[in-house]
Amino acid sequence: MAKHYAMVIQLKKCLGCQACTVACKFENKVPDGQYRTKSPAIGPSGTYPNVKVFFEKQACQMCQDAPCVKVCPTTASHYNKDGLVLIDSHKCVGCKYCMTACPYDARFINKNTGTADKCTFCYDTRLTKGEKPACVTTCVGGALLFGDANDPQSEVARYMATHRTEVRKAQFGTRPSVHYDYEGVK
């Protein structure tokens, strides 16, 4: 069976420390002022003393039906053999079609390369070596789970089988591979 890499974000465990953002920037040499991932605060909601705030990690959702891939005129945005949405920087002309098509605002033009950039689950630098993405291994709160959702023994598959998770903007039919567990925060 083919792999289906997925991530689960347990929002009640996210501290908002931005360690994932920093790890991503170093691992992927992301230019200053640009981000492949970020965790903005959502809220506050409620009234004192019962105020709630949580942090929602935002990055490429690794859609299984990705609009960015469909609109790319040079096929720079593509699926690799493991079904991940990646960008071939040698083919990218920086036209921004993929940025416009992405409903998650997960892409940007890298100011150093002039090409589209986004989260890759650290495919080239870590995943191909059997390691988890930098954000997952650096997460102080243990909020990020990652693995092959098609492997019933993987941590991410076991978690999704026993917990209710949601995807962002499900109404777009993109079938994201990033799932959110909102238990305890909403």
Side-chain angles (χ1 to χ4, degrees):
M1 180 183 316
K3 289 186 179 188
H4 174 199
Y5 287 113
M7 182 178 286
V8 171
I9 303 165
Q10 303 168 79
L11 296 169
K12 69 181 173 189
K13 290 186 174 184
C14 179
L15 308 171
C17 69
Q18 302 298 328
C20 57
T21 302
V22 173
C24 176
K25 286 185 75 65
F26 281 109
E27 181 71 30
N28 298 291
K29 298 172 183 63
V30 179
D32 288 345
Q34 295 188 302
Y35 304 91
R36 285 183 170 189
T37 185
K38 53 192 171 234
S39 298
I42 308 296
S45 63
T47 56
Y48 180 81
N50 300 311
V51 177
K52 285 188 177 184
V53 149
F54 64 94
F55 300 89
E56 186 177 75
K57 183 178 185 301
Q58 296 176 353
C60 176
Q61 302 293 294
M62 288 296 174
C63 302
Q64 296 171 69
D65 190 12
C68 58
V69 171
K70 292 177 183 177
V71 302
C72 183
T74 64
T75 67
S77 290
H78 65 281
Y79 296 101
N80 75 352
K81 64 181 177 62
D82 292 320
L84 296 179
V85 177
L86 300 179
I87 302 167
D88 182 339
S89 62
H90 296 98
K91 289 183 177 181
C92 181
V93 295
C95 68
K96 301 182 184 176
Y97 286 3
C98 61
M99 290 174 61
T100 302
C102 177
Y104 305 99
D105 193 31
R107 289 173 170 243
F108 61 94
I109 297 296
N110 183 307
K111 61 186 175 186
N112 291 343
T113 64
T115 59
D117 202 343
K118 65 171 204 68
C119 170
T120 63
F121 284 163
C122 297
Y123 184 77
D124 289 328
T125 61
R126 299 177 66 89
L127 227 50
T128 56
K129 298 175 188 172
E131 300 172 4
K132 293 181 179 180
C135 61
V136 175
T137 60
T138 307
C139 182
V140 176
L144 305 177
L145 304 176
F146 181 82
D148 180 1
N150 286 340
D151 175 0
Q153 299 307 311
S154 76
E155 181 181 35
V156 75
R158 287 192 324 263
Y159 190 90
M160 289 193 304
T162 58
H163 294 78
R164 186 175 156 264
T165 63
E166 300 174 27
V167 295
R168 291 178 61 217
K169 301 182 181 183
Q171 70 271 23
F172 290 109
T174 60
R175 298 182 10 246
S177 298
V178 177
H179 298 256
Y180 295 82
D181 181 348
Y182 290 97
E183 179 188 347
V185 296
K186 282 189 172 181

